[in-house]
Amino acid sequence: MSMLEIHQLSMDLRDSDHERSLLRSISLEVDSGESLGLVGESGSGKSLTLKSILRVPPGNARISGSILFNGSDVLLMNRKELRNFRATKVAMIAQNPHGVLNPVLTIQQFMLEGMSVAGKHTRREALRISCEMLEDVGIRDVMRVMKSYPHELSGGMLQRVVIAAAIAAGPSIILADEPTTALDVTTQAEVVAILDELRRDRGLAMIFVTHDLDLAAAMCSRIAVMKQGEIVEQGSVEHI
């Protein structure tokens, strides 16, 4: 059994007039230490697939199928189980770090808040781990960054902070939703290299959403291609 198994996942969106299908019979598997690239045009359903794994679909959407994490169906988890899953088992890295960081919290407050939700460490331990993680993602002046607010840091620096926060909680799988889209080309390469190194060092599974096939080929061992809410092709990097 793979760490994450998605079977026949479908999502329908209801409004007053009709029902629209957003995802249709999505089936994917990701194992420990494996990186799966999810590629496709804008609007094909890539981000919705990731949000389904976190069980945060649009409010009026109906989901069917199953999303098994180590044998437990995410769609059937109660509130406590779902909270634990989101806090300790899975981490989301979004394409825009400004949408993740609270502008009125310092980086230190943001990092510690995320780790307090996971509930694994004391405040002192969480502070130590946070500093270590910021160093691991290439931030040198850690204490200055910890005391900074988001508007005082560059986009590349903020994305490093978001990656550090995601990894700090000790997840088993990373959901990376085009994490380099908002960055310049040079910074993109640096951030991708950091993310891939952290994944390899910690043996994490990852689903990497991107429009860039070259990037997917460099980051992933398998690729799934989406179009209009469906998986239309799936296989090894060499095959795709």
Side-chain angles (χ1 to χ4, degrees), residues 185 196 226:
V185 175
D196 194 39
M226 292 194 72

Side-chain angles (χ1 to χ4, degrees), residues 61-217:
R62 183 182 63 183
I63 299 180
S64 60
S66 63
I67 302 172
L68 302 178
F69 179 80
N70 287 334
S72 297
D73 195 337
V74 177
L75 300 181
L76 299 179
M77 288 179 177
N78 60 36
R79 178 178 290 186
K80 182 179 180 180
E81 292 169 336
L82 187 60
R83 178 182 174 87
N84 180 66
F85 170 69
R86 291 171 177 166
T88 65
K89 306 301 182 184
V90 62
M92 180 83 165
I93 301 174
Q95 57 183 279
N96 181 10
H98 289 283
V100 177
L101 294 158
N102 189 327
V104 301
L105 296 182
T106 64
I107 300 306
Q108 177 173 313
Q109 290 172 319
F110 167 72
M111 295 285 291
L112 295 183
E113 181 181 61
M115 294 192 72
S116 68
V117 172
K120 293 181 178 179
H121 308 285
T122 64
R123 180 179 174 84
R124 178 177 293 183
E125 290 172 338
L127 182 60
R128 175 183 58 79
I129 292 170
S130 296
C131 290
E132 290 175 354
M133 290 308 308
L134 290 176
E135 291 176 349
D136 285 349
V137 297
I139 294 177
R140 296 178 181 176
D141 193 354
V142 170
M143 293 315 300
R144 179 188 67 82
V145 170
M146 288 284 271
K147 295 176 182 177
S148 300
Y149 289 89
H151 71 273
E152 297 176 311
L153 302 175
S154 67
M157 190 73 78
L158 291 178
Q159 195 61 296
R160 286 175 168 84
V161 168
V162 170
I163 292 172
I167 302 297
S172 301
I173 184 169
I174 300 171
L175 308 179
D177 190 3
E178 300 189 63
T180 61
T181 298
L183 307 176
D184 62 76
V185 175
T186 301
T187 308
Q188 281 183 10
E190 294 173 354
V191 169
V192 165
I194 288 168
L195 182 58
D196 194 39
E197 182 179 357
L198 288 171
R199 181 192 66 79
R200 292 176 184 273
D201 288 348
R202 288 164 172 76
L204 304 177
M206 181 168 68
I207 299 180
F208 189 84
V209 168
T210 182
H211 287 95
D212 189 331
L213 284 173
D214 289 332
L215 182 55

